[in-house]
Amino acid sequence: MNLFKRRKKAQKQQQQQMSSAESSKPKSQEIKEAKYINSKTNAHFSLKFVSTVVDEEIIQNNILPYLLEETFILIEDIKKILPIADVQISTDFSQIEQKIYNGYVLLKIETEAEKIAFVSAQKEVSRQVSAPEIEFSVIGPKEAFIEPLDQNLNMVRKRIPIKELQIEELTVGKLSKTKVAVLYIEGIVDQTNVQTVRQRLDAIDFDQISDSSFIEQIIADNPTSPFPQFIDTERPDRASAVLTQGKVVMLVDGSPHALIGPTTLVESFVSFEDYYINWIMASFFRVLRIFSVLFSILITPVYVAALTYHYQMVPRAVMATLISSRQGVPLPPILEALILEITIELLREAGARLPTKIGQTIGIVGGIVIGTASVEAGLTSNVLLIFVALAALASFTTPIYKIGNTIRFIRFPFLIFAQMWGLLGIVFCFCFLLTHLIRLSSLGRPYLEPIYPPRIKDLKDTIIRLGFNKNVTRPQYLRTNDTTRYPPIDGKRKIDIDE
């Protein structure tokens, strides 16, 4: 009986040893390890790396030949013989997993078991720099950010080649280990803004960060607000320009968009192309964009309110047109407006999700066919169809994509309030919106600045843009350490040929 128990116990121990040995082996087939011997010193060393993130040509051409042929005894000698800049010597074995999965080759020497070396050999898979697709402009540079962080930092650094440009790298995401770079110009930026960004990034406890949009939603002052509290841009020239103003820029590895903060509502209607043209023309286009946004939000609610409650306020000539266009329409104005608004949104979403050529065809043909058919079928009036089409067209004038989504969304609350209480409901909804905007902030700075709190000096580059000779100071709400961009006299001085 005792012999049987001993045999059973021995078998159990053997099974445990086998299972522990299997568990100690790396499960992933992408982890490679090889051992070598130096031809001159007979030093035994091993290389360990992850094949999917390492460029094996770097190992074959820039690492192995030198380790096999050159003389080295200590692990510190590796830095002298390898033609690679990023070689790190460490005694912290807990870094092994993170380093090799980030594209480093682990080097061990048998005679120095207490030290290890990490040699950079990342595989670069990226696309070429292309023209901006969302913030395209006729005038100005034709290059946009791409996914690799180093390339994006290079595009910013070549525009601001000064030592005051500080770049701090952080790692965010428990699983993705995403690199995030925080950029600012020392001596100009208010360190409170930098500290706020740094503190919020350090506090992120999220598993995977795939894009800068994740960062924007997590660290926003009010994550439930439909208004973007950071400006995202794909233009390196815009990111460089706001750094000189005293703002903070965040670049995320794997994302072709940069985050800019703090920001204001007015900046959402500013195209960077405005600075490449005459200030009079730029001011005209800015006023046109703001008028277009107001038109896009209010035209259908005003139509519903006027036909539901305030038809006596409509002039007789206009009322005759409205009556003739609504003859035979069985639906009330609110349902008529909702059907057309939802149809426009469906066409827009379908066009955005389909391939480019098919999406353009769906948008044009679908709009014409559905619009014409709905009017002929008597479901909608041709006047409202024109208003909805103009409202959709006006919403595309915003240069920032995310504020365009916000405008599309807030039209529906205005429509509902207009149906319930007419023009009074529109005013009531506008008060709700204004209260929300007044309470909103970006990195703790007022979102409605310079309108509220009123700052007269900052109005020079908001709804209208004055000439460069008038924009001699940086925005007040940024509280920059250096408030002057250049002496005012330099912007006005003109030297005659005879001087």
Side-chain angles (χ1 to χ4, degrees), residues 132 135-137 140-141 143 145 233-239 272 276:
E135 297 178 83
F136 181 80
S137 62
E143 61 179 1
F145 287 125
T233 181
E234 59 178 347
R235 298 182 62 107
D237 53 346
R238 183 167 196 161
F272 199 70
Y276 294 135

Side-chain angles (χ1 to χ4, degrees), residues 30-131:
E30 60 185 355
I31 299 178
K32 309 294 183 182
E33 187 172 8
K35 296 182 179 180
Y36 303 92
I37 301 176
N38 183 271
S39 61
K40 293 185 178 180
T41 61
N42 291 326
H44 291 256
F45 64 93
S46 64
L47 299 178
K48 187 176 183 180
F49 57 91
V50 180
S51 60
T52 54
V53 295
V54 163
D55 189 350
E56 296 192 23
E57 288 189 3
I58 297 178
I59 298 177
Q60 297 295 330
N61 299 330
N62 299 335
I63 298 179
L64 263 182
Y66 295 91
L67 293 178
L68 292 173
E69 303 295 335
E70 299 291 334
T71 302
F72 69 91
I73 300 174
L74 302 176
I75 200 166
E76 283 80 4
D77 299 334
I78 301 298
K79 286 188 174 182
K80 300 177 183 178
I81 65 173
L82 290 183
I84 296 177
D86 191 0
V87 179
Q88 304 173 17
I89 309 298
S90 176
T91 58
D92 186 4
F93 285 79
S94 63
Q95 296 182 352
I96 292 178
E97 183 178 344
Q98 179 182 352
K99 287 290 186 181
I100 64 173
Y101 279 102
N102 281 335
Y104 285 84
V105 177
L106 172 64
L107 171 62
K108 288 183 181 179
I109 301 178
E110 287 189 359
T111 56
E112 290 192 86
E114 71 279 359
K115 291 184 180 180
I116 51 178
F118 298 106
V119 184
S120 175
Q122 289 95 341
K123 182 185 294 184
E124 297 292 338
V125 180
S126 61
R127 60 185 175 92
Q128 293 182 347
V129 177
S130 58

Side-chain angles (χ1 to χ4, degrees), residues 334-347:
I334 181 62
L335 289 181
E336 184 186 3
L338 284 175
I339 288 175
L340 281 181
E341 290 284 1
I342 294 174
T343 302
I344 290 292
E345 296 303 322
L346 288 176
L347 288 172

Side-chain angles (χ1 to χ4, degrees), residues 99-369:
K99 287 290 186 181
I100 64 173
Y101 279 102
N102 281 335
Y104 285 84
V105 177
L106 172 64
L107 171 62
K108 288 183 181 179
I109 301 178
E110 287 189 359
T111 56
E112 290 192 86
E114 71 279 359
K115 291 184 180 180
I116 51 178
F118 298 106
V119 184
S120 175
Q122 289 95 341
K123 182 185 294 184
E124 297 292 338
V125 180
S126 61
R127 60 185 175 92
Q128 293 182 347
V129 177
S130 58
E133 296 182 3
I134 300 175
E135 297 178 83
F136 181 80
S137 62
V138 179
I139 306 172
K142 299 295 186 296
E143 61 179 1
F145 287 125
I146 56 177
E147 284 74 18
L149 180 61
D150 293 338
Q151 294 277 3
N152 295 338
L153 293 175
N154 173 265
M155 284 189 277
V156 176
R157 174 65 75 177
K158 74 179 182 181
R159 286 175 168 80
I160 311 179
I162 57 174
K163 62 181 178 60
E164 287 80 10
L165 176 60
Q166 302 297 315
I167 301 175
E168 297 182 9
E169 287 195 11
L170 298 88
T171 302
V172 181
K174 292 183 294 185
L175 298 180
S176 61
K177 304 295 182 184
T178 306
K179 292 182 181 179
V180 179
V182 180
L183 288 73
Y184 60 91
I185 297 181
E186 192 174 13
I188 295 179
V189 70
D190 183 6
Q191 287 297 326
T192 304
N193 295 333
V194 179
Q195 183 61 29
T196 303
V197 171
R198 191 185 297 124
Q199 179 181 354
R200 293 185 184 182
L201 289 176
D202 289 336
I204 292 178
D205 188 17
F206 202 73
D207 54 356
Q208 183 186 17
I209 302 296
S210 301
D211 187 74
S212 59
S213 301
F214 284 59
I215 301 288
E216 178 187 3
Q217 296 176 60
I218 294 172
I219 71 173
D221 292 38
N222 186 355
T224 60
S225 174
F227 289 88
Q229 291 144 63
F230 291 91
I231 294 291
D232 65 326
T233 181
E234 59 178 347
R235 298 182 62 107
D237 53 346
R238 183 167 196 161
S240 304
V242 298
L243 284 171
T244 62
Q245 288 181 355
K247 296 190 177 186
V248 182
V249 173
M250 287 170 281
L251 289 169
V252 180
D253 192 19
S255 174
H257 291 263
L259 294 179
I260 300 170
T263 187
T264 62
L265 177 64
V266 178
E267 288 186 57
S268 299
F269 308 110
V270 174
S271 171
F272 199 70
E273 191 179 9
D274 295 345
Y275 298 99
Y276 294 135
I277 59 178
N278 181 272
W279 68 271
I280 299 176
M281 300 301 299
S283 300
F284 169 74
F285 290 134
R286 286 190 185 181
V287 173
L288 180 63
R289 290 188 203 111
I290 294 174
F291 171 78
S292 300
V293 168
L294 294 176
F295 179 85
S296 177
I297 295 173
L298 297 176
I299 185 62
T300 48
V302 169
Y303 174 88
V304 171
L307 291 185
T308 307
Y309 295 99
H310 312 288
Y311 48 86
Q312 69 277 5
M313 298 175 59
V314 180
R316 289 187 177 182
V318 178
M319 180 57 72
T321 304
L322 291 176
I323 291 173
S324 63
S325 68
R326 282 189 52 81
Q327 283 181 350
V329 177
L331 301 176
I334 181 62
L335 289 181
E336 184 186 3
L338 284 175
I339 288 175
L340 281 181
E341 290 284 1
I342 294 174
T343 302
I344 290 292
E345 296 303 322
L346 288 176
L347 288 172
R348 192 180 307 192
E349 282 297 307
R353 301 293 172 259
L354 291 172
T356 305
K357 293 183 179 179
I358 301 176
Q360 292 176 352
T361 306
I362 289 293
I364 297 173
V365 176
I368 295 173
V369 171

